[in-house]
Amino acid sequence: MTLISNLWTIIWKAPQIIGIIRAIIDITGSETFQKILEFIQDILKLEPLPPNPDKESEPDKQRLLERLKKRIGLSMLKMDEGDYMVFQDFQTMKNSDIQQA
């Protein structure tokens, strides 16, 4: 009896399940999504991994996440860290000049 009940549930829910699976395949199969995954993979290759990721504390994980976000931002801006530091210094000088005026 349980088999028939489970089979009926599967048949009844099949359109919803197929719709969800189709949406997941559409998202993961899209070219944009694949580029994003490759981009993240390239950034992770550049980032040194911690010696023991299982014993990492929450602040360590937060710092790693911040570094990854910074690398993603820099690569989207097509800047290296040196150029970004110069840009930040320029913005700081510009803001201080505006405040002094």
Side-chain angles (χ1 to χ4, degrees), residues 16-33:
Q16 295 169 343
I17 294 169
I18 291 170
I20 291 169
I21 292 172
R22 185 179 301 145
I24 291 170
I25 290 171
D26 287 346
I27 291 171
T28 57
S30 73
E31 190 174 320
T32 305
F33 186 75

Side-chain angles (χ1 to χ4, degrees), residues 65-87:
L65 181 63
E66 291 301 318
R67 287 195 309 265
L68 290 175
K69 287 189 328 189
K70 183 177 179 182
R71 284 187 187 260
I72 289 171
L74 289 174
S75 67
M76 286 181 154
L77 293 171
K78 295 183 176 34
M79 292 180 149
D80 61 9
E81 275 194 68
D83 292 342
Y84 184 70
M85 295 300 274
V86 170
F87 176 74

Side-chain angles (χ1 to χ4, degrees):
M1 191 62 163
T2 306
L3 177 64
I4 295 172
S5 174
N6 289 340
L7 186 59
W8 177 253
T9 303
I10 290 171
I11 292 171
W12 183 256
K13 301 284 183 179
Q16 295 169 343
I17 294 169
I18 291 170
I20 291 169
I21 292 172
R22 185 179 301 145
I24 291 170
I25 290 171
D26 287 346
I27 291 171
T28 57
S30 73
E31 190 174 320
T32 305
F33 186 75
Q34 294 299 323
K35 286 181 182 179
I36 291 170
L37 289 178
E38 289 172 9
F39 182 69
I40 292 171
Q41 184 180 20
D42 291 343
I43 288 174
L44 285 173
K45 286 179 186 175
L46 297 173
E47 188 64 36
L49 293 176
N52 193 351
D54 294 335
K55 294 186 178 180
E56 231 180 304
S57 68
E58 194 60 34
D60 292 337
K61 291 177 185 177
Q62 191 66 29
R63 279 192 295 274
L64 176 64
L65 181 63
E66 291 301 318
R67 287 195 309 265
L68 290 175
K69 287 189 328 189
K70 183 177 179 182
R71 284 187 187 260
I72 289 171
L74 289 174
S75 67
M76 286 181 154
L77 293 171
K78 295 183 176 34
M79 292 180 149
D80 61 9
E81 275 194 68
D83 292 342
Y84 184 70
M85 295 300 274
V86 170
F87 176 74
Q88 275 188 322
D89 290 342
F90 176 74
Q91 289 292 24
T92 303
M93 284 180 14
K94 186 176 168 183
N95 289 341
S96 67
D97 290 343
I98 290 172
Q99 288 177 356
Q100 288 178 359

